């Protein structure tokens, strides 16, 4: 038997026949199991509408792990811990059936009454399920009870508050784990370490030395089959409210007094409180929205957003957002944090570029190469690493400068893939560590910020859609947003010394 690092747990997955469970949750649990991080005292109950047997579910889990690739050792043993019960989310009898099965498994696997409820289904059911879990007695257990909630957490501040109030009838804030899977990514978690464990950076991490910060999260894919969902969401709600703002908060926050969940979340919350609201006429000046049109990627002709399935042919939904965030505090006054995210862009890339200010006097200005600014690039995905861009002397007789790169790659160092974000987050939840989940205070502050922008965009139809071709880095106005301030987007695909 493997030694484990997590307490015994029953994990109940609502929406267990869905895409997320298959692609992420089962393989992540399996990886934890393989690494000995999951106690043998664990069981999973999958629930969804379909009438499946335990065996059908187990073979579904088996297939999901096979198709995730990697090692396959011990899958049968792992899958034997999985049970299935068909479920109607609004019917109390269904919950009573689940409770009975949960109690049986509790005894069989000695789970000590520890329960995680993972809501991996459409958000309109989150509140109903949480209420039933309490009223039908599933949360009435002697062990811990925790609720993992997938995104989106509401559609705006009022709906998020309503959902939160509903959840709080059944679970305390400490028991609610709101997933933002970006917070499980290795290099997002590394932001704090880079900042707070290096004497080199923290003294420079302010408006005296940093000129601007750029956060890009671009996708090549379009909306695929998610047109129906995306029409109601758009890039602002789908990406900016959560992932982009979370990354900005991690970059902007003050050092916490320790790494406890409370202190880290409280500093992130304080950073978000200093985020200058963008409202009314300011929206157009500080934010750019875009929608992709037709285009070619890798020689393939692709339709515009309005031609996609389940999309209104006159849709006003944005598939791209660029914006300028300003944190009004002593550390950051005057330093723009630019964010951009979108679909059907030229590359799939998540990167942070920290651009340092130019040195006050350039002694080498007359040399052939002008000096390039120092950059710290944090590569989040698909590559994981850090690059520091410096200037050095070109080899030879002349006193010429040349840009050089100091590179660190996660792959290069460990020779293996870093764990998937979901693997880390599920592990954290089992251990009761909520640091990398979003607190309600953060969710509410970021919704309030976003609501001001969507209020303008929803009342004023974009008259230039589609305004960027598929396979490009977004509309022209996104470049102009930085040009107005004397900056430009560093090219994310090739932040290579040769490229500038
Ligand atoms: P999905 O549509 O593939 O699966 C939904 C699941 O819910 C299925 O198991 C379905 O049977 C079940 N279900 C639907 N209606 C039901 C009902 N009335 N009663 C009982 N079961 C019902 O969805 P998904 O892609 O797996 O996403 C699940 C959640 O995760 C959503 O909140 C989504 O926004 C979020 N999410 C998904 C991804 C992803 O990569 N798929 C990424 C981030 C967040």
């Amino acid at each position: 038997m493997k030694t484990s690092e997590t307490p015994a747990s029953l994990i109940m997955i609502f929406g267990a026949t869905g895409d997320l469970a298959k692609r992420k949750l089962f393989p992540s649990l399996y990886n934890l199991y393989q690494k000995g991080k999951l106690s043998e005292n664990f069981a999973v109950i999958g629930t969804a509408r379909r009438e499946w047997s335990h065996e059908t579910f187990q073979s579904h889990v088996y297939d999901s792990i096979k198709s995730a690739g990697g090692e396959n050792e011990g899958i049968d043993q792992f899958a034997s811990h999985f049970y299935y019960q068909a479920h109607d989310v609004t019917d109390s009898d269904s919950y009573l059936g689940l409770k009975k099965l949960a109690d049986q498994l509790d005894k069989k696997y000695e789970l000590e009454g520890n329960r995680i409820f993972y809501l991996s289904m459409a958000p309109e059911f989150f509140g109903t399920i949480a209420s039933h879990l309490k009223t039908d007695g599933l949360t009435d257990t002697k062990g811990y009870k925790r609720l993992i909630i997938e995104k989106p957490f509401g559609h705006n501040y009022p709906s998020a508050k309503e959902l939160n109030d509903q959840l709080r009838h059944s679970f305390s804030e400490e028991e609610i784990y709101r997933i933002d899977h970006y917070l499980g990514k290795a290099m997002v978690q590394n932001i704090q370490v880079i900042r707070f464990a290096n004497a080199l950076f923290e003294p420079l991490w302010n408006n005296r030395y940093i000129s601007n910060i750029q956060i890009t999260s671009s996708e090549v894919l379009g909306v695929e089959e998610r047109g129906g969902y995306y029409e109601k969401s758009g890039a602002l709600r789908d990406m900016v409210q959560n992932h982009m703002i979370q990354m900005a908060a991690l970059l902007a926050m003050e050092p916490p007094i320790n790494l406890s969940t409370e202190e880290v979340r409280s500093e992130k919350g304080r950073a978000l409180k200093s985020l200058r609201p963008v409202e009314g006429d300011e929206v157009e000046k500080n934010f750019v929205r875009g929608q992709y049109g037709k285009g070619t990627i890798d020689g393939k002709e692709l339709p515009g957003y309005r031609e996609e399935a389940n999309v209104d042919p006159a849709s006003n939904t944005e598939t791209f957002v660029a914006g300028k965030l300003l944190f009004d505090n002593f550390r950051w006054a005057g330093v723009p944090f630019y964010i951009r995210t979108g679909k059907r862009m030229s590359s799939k890339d998540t990167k942070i570029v920290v651009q340092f200010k130019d040195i006050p006097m350039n002694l080498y200005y007359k040399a052939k190469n002008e000096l390039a600014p120092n950059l710290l690039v944090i590569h989040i995905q698909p590559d994981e690493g850090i690059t520091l861009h410096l200037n050095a002397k070109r080899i030879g007789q002349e006193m010429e400068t040349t840009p050089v790169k100091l590179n660190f790659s996660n792959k290069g160092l460990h020779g293996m893939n870093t764990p998937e974000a979901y693997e880390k987050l599920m592990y954290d939840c089992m251990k009761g560590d909520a640091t990398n989940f979003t607190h309600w205070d953060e969710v509410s502050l970021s919704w309030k910020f976003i609501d001001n922008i969507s209020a303008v965009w929803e009342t004023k139809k974009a008259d230039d859609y589609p305004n960027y071709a598929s396979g490009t880095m977004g509309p022209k106005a996104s470049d102009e947003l930085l040009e107005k301030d004397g900056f430009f987007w560093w090219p994310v695909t090739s932040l290579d010394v040769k490229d500038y």
Side-chain angles (χ1 to χ4, degrees):
M1 189 181 284
K2 297 181 177 94
T3 53
S4 80
E5 298 177 22
T6 50
S9 344
L10 173 70
I11 304 162
M12 201 176 278
I13 302 178
F14 290 81
T17 60
D19 173 69
L20 184 73
K22 183 173 177 197
R23 283 192 310 110
K24 303 286 185 191
L25 307 187
F26 305 145
S28 297
L29 283 172
Y30 173 70
N31 289 344
L32 290 174
Y33 181 76
Q34 273 299 96
K35 292 174 186 168
K37 287 180 181 288
L38 188 62
S39 163
E40 279 287 344
N41 299 83
F42 87 98
V44 176
I45 302 181
T47 80
R49 269 176 307 193
R50 287 182 214 170
E51 295 289 341
W52 276 3
S53 63
H54 298 319
E55 291 70 31
T56 310
F57 185 47
Q58 286 168 6
S59 75
H60 176 74
V61 170
Y62 187 96
D63 292 345
S64 113
I65 291 156
K66 281 265 185 201
S67 52
E71 292 205 19
N72 290 163
E73 198 194 316
I75 310 185
D76 284 322
Q77 173 65 14
F78 170 75
S80 72
H81 290 250
F82 283 66
Y83 296 79
Y84 184 84
Q85 186 137 324
H87 181 68
D88 174 350
V89 287
T90 55
D91 176 21
S92 274
D93 284 344
S94 262
Y95 291 89
L96 295 177
L98 279 177
K99 180 172 163 32
K100 201 169 146 202
L101 179 58
D103 291 342
Q104 280 166 8
L105 296 178
D106 206 329
K107 283 206 189 77
K108 177 168 177 184
Y109 291 96
E110 298 169 16
L111 303 176
E112 299 163 23
N114 293 333
R115 289 183 184 172
I116 292 175
F117 305 96
Y118 196 124
L119 307 194
S120 172
M121 52 191 299
E124 62 259 37
F125 299 121
F126 293 166
T128 314
I129 297 173
S131 302
H132 273 283
L133 290 176
K134 183 178 168 87
T135 50
D136 296 321
L138 280 112
T139 56
D140 190 9
T141 169
K142 66 178 188 333
Y144 70 66
K145 57 177 167 49
R146 295 177 190 143
L147 181 73
I148 305 187
I149 289 272
E150 263 302 333
K151 78 169 195 184
F153 197 91
H155 182 73
N156 49 22
Y157 174 70
S159 60
K161 169 134 188 18
E162 193 185 328
L163 170 61
N164 200 54
D165 290 347
Q166 211 172 355
L167 301 181
R168 290 295 304 277
H169 284 303
S170 309
F171 295 87
S172 68
E173 174 62 34
E174 292 67 43
E175 291 168 337
I176 302 174
Y177 288 67
R178 298 176 195 81
I179 289 251
D180 184 323
H181 69 276
Y182 271 57
L183 297 183
K185 289 185 189 290
M187 290 310 294
V188 173
Q189 296 192 347
N190 221 330
I191 294 173
Q192 287 182 56
V193 184
I194 294 167
R195 284 190 55 191
F196 305 138
N198 289 299
L200 195 62
F201 293 122
E202 194 47 31
L204 307 184
W205 210 259
N206 55 51
N207 54 8
R208 286 181 64 198
Y209 297 102
I210 290 178
S211 75
N212 74 92
I213 294 184
Q214 305 177 8
I215 310 172
T216 298
S217 187
S218 58
E219 279 182 72
V220 173
L221 290 179
V223 282
E224 310 292 291
E225 66 288 346
R226 293 173 74 226
Y229 159 77
Y230 204 78
E231 273 288 89
K232 286 188 242 128
S233 159
L236 189 66
R237 291 190 170 93
D238 193 44
M239 290 294 296
V240 180
Q241 183 272 332
N242 36 43
H243 314 315
M244 305 302 282
I245 289 191
Q246 281 292 327
M247 286 191 281
L250 286 168
L251 291 160
M253 70 191 262
E254 290 299 314
I257 55 167
N258 60 47
L259 292 177
S260 68
T261 304
E262 296 70 37
E263 294 302 334
V264 172
R265 285 167 147 192
S266 141
E267 290 303 342
K268 272 165 71 194
R270 271 161 50 83
L272 292 177
K273 276 185 204 150
S274 68
L275 188 54
R276 186 185 300 176
V278 179
E279 37 198 342
D281 295 343
E282 291 297 310
V283 172
E284 207 158 313
K285 285 190 208 140
N286 292 288
F287 272 77
V288 172
R289 52 178 160 166
Q291 189 188 73
Y292 65 82
K294 292 185 187 14
T296 313
I297 299 181
D298 291 336
K300 210 173 146 205
E301 290 283 325
L302 295 160
Y305 177 69
R306 292 177 177 189
E307 285 92 55
E308 303 275 18
N310 303 319
V311 170
D312 178 354
S315 174
N316 191 41
T317 302
E318 78 286 350
T319 61
F320 173 96
V321 176
K324 175 159 110 176
L325 309 180
L326 291 167
F327 291 92
D328 285 329
N329 57 29
F330 262 59
R331 185 183 284 267
W332 293 118
V335 180
F337 283 57
Y338 300 107
I339 53 165
R340 70 176 160 171
T341 182
K343 292 193 176 290
R344 280 270 192 263
M345 292 171 68
S346 51
S347 68
K348 178 174 170 61
D349 240 302
T350 303
K351 270 195 183 67
I352 295 166
V353 181
V354 179
Q355 179 176 341
F356 291 88
K357 285 189 172 166
D358 291 338
I359 42 175
M361 199 175 96
N362 185 352
L363 296 175
Y364 301 96
Y365 199 71
K366 292 205 180 77
K368 277 186 190 149
N369 295 57
E370 285 187 14
L371 285 194
N374 292 145
L375 303 178
L376 170 69
V377 183
I378 304 175
H379 308 257
I380 292 168
Q381 69 180 22
D383 296 337
E384 293 179 357
I386 309 164
T387 313
L388 191 56
H389 293 238
L390 306 171
N391 292 296
K393 181 187 173 299
R394 186 186 292 279
I395 297 170
Q397 301 298 323
E398 308 295 326
M399 190 48 90
E400 283 178 12
T401 61
T402 186
V404 295
K405 272 193 319 182
L406 304 184
N407 224 356
F408 155 76
S409 157
N410 254 1
K411 269 205 182 112
L413 187 72
H414 304 294
M416 59 188 240
N417 285 332
T418 46
E420 162 68 45
Y422 277 92
E423 184 181 325
K424 289 187 182 211
L425 294 174
M426 290 181 88
Y427 177 65
D428 283 357
C429 178
M430 280 186 259
K431 288 201 311 174
D433 181 354
T435 316
N436 293 311
F437 294 80
T438 42
H439 190 277
W440 166 244
D441 292 348
E442 298 164 52
V443 176
S444 58
L445 287 164
S446 61
W447 269 128
K448 285 177 187 166
F449 179 81
I450 291 297
D451 285 355
N452 285 326
I453 300 164
S454 38
V456 173
W457 285 358
E458 277 163 18
T459 43
K460 204 168 152 206
K461 210 165 161 40
D463 46 23
D464 61 345
Y465 280 177
N467 58 358
Y468 71 100
S470 287
T472 65
M473 284 308 277
K476 204 162 149 272
S478 157
D479 295 332
E480 289 164 357
L481 180 73
L482 274 69
E483 280 162 19
K484 279 191 296 199
D485 297 340
F487 301 123
F488 60 88
W489 289 110
W490 290 96
V492 282
T493 38
S494 47
L495 270 169
D496 197 329
V497 275
K498 294 202 178 60
D499 294 309
Y500 60 87

